[in-house]
Amino acid sequence: MLSLSRYVIIGVITLLLGQLIVFPARVANHWFTPAGVAISGIQGSIWRGHALEGEIGGIYVRNLNWQMRPWALFTGELAYSVEADAVSGFILSLIHI
């Protein structure tokens, strides 16, 4: 049988993983956004979300969508995609490192 301390450790790990899975993009924006980046109307999580508009390095974009594939991390890769409508066209960035 598992001791009480093991149950507590399993519970804490489960709680932390659950919080990471549903971590809101709005909170991540406040904590991690570098200078020169302004995003508004954020919805979703850090893994998959949407923003109404943003200004990134002086470039205005709207309908910003992102998706990260966390399962790729288990193979040692970082895979995500970002899509946005620019004033004069469309931006699609597929990153697979």
Side-chain angles (χ1 to χ4, degrees):
M1 290 204 144
L2 293 175
S3 66
L4 179 61
S5 63
R6 288 188 182 179
Y7 282 122
V8 170
I9 291 170
I10 291 170
V12 168
I13 290 171
T14 303
L15 176 68
L16 292 175
L17 283 175
Q19 292 298 315
L20 180 64
I21 289 170
V22 296
F23 194 75
R26 191 175 331 164
V27 173
N29 180 48
H30 289 294
W31 287 358
F32 304 116
T33 302
V37 176
I39 302 173
S40 65
I42 301 171
Q43 299 175 350
S45 70
I46 59 171
W47 308 107
R48 182 181 201 138
H50 175 78
L52 295 177
E53 60 185 355
E55 185 177 347
I56 303 167
I59 300 171
Y60 175 76
V61 294
R62 21 178 205 173
N63 298 326
L64 182 65
N65 294 298
W66 62 88
Q67 180 179 359
M68 185 172 192
R69 291 180 280 285
W71 295 112
L73 293 173
F74 290 111
T75 62
E77 298 175 337
L78 178 63
Y80 65 92
S81 64
V82 178
E83 299 176 7
D85 294 330
V87 175
S88 62
F90 181 79
I91 299 170
L92 173 61
S93 174
L94 299 172
I95 307 296
H96 192 71
I97 300 172

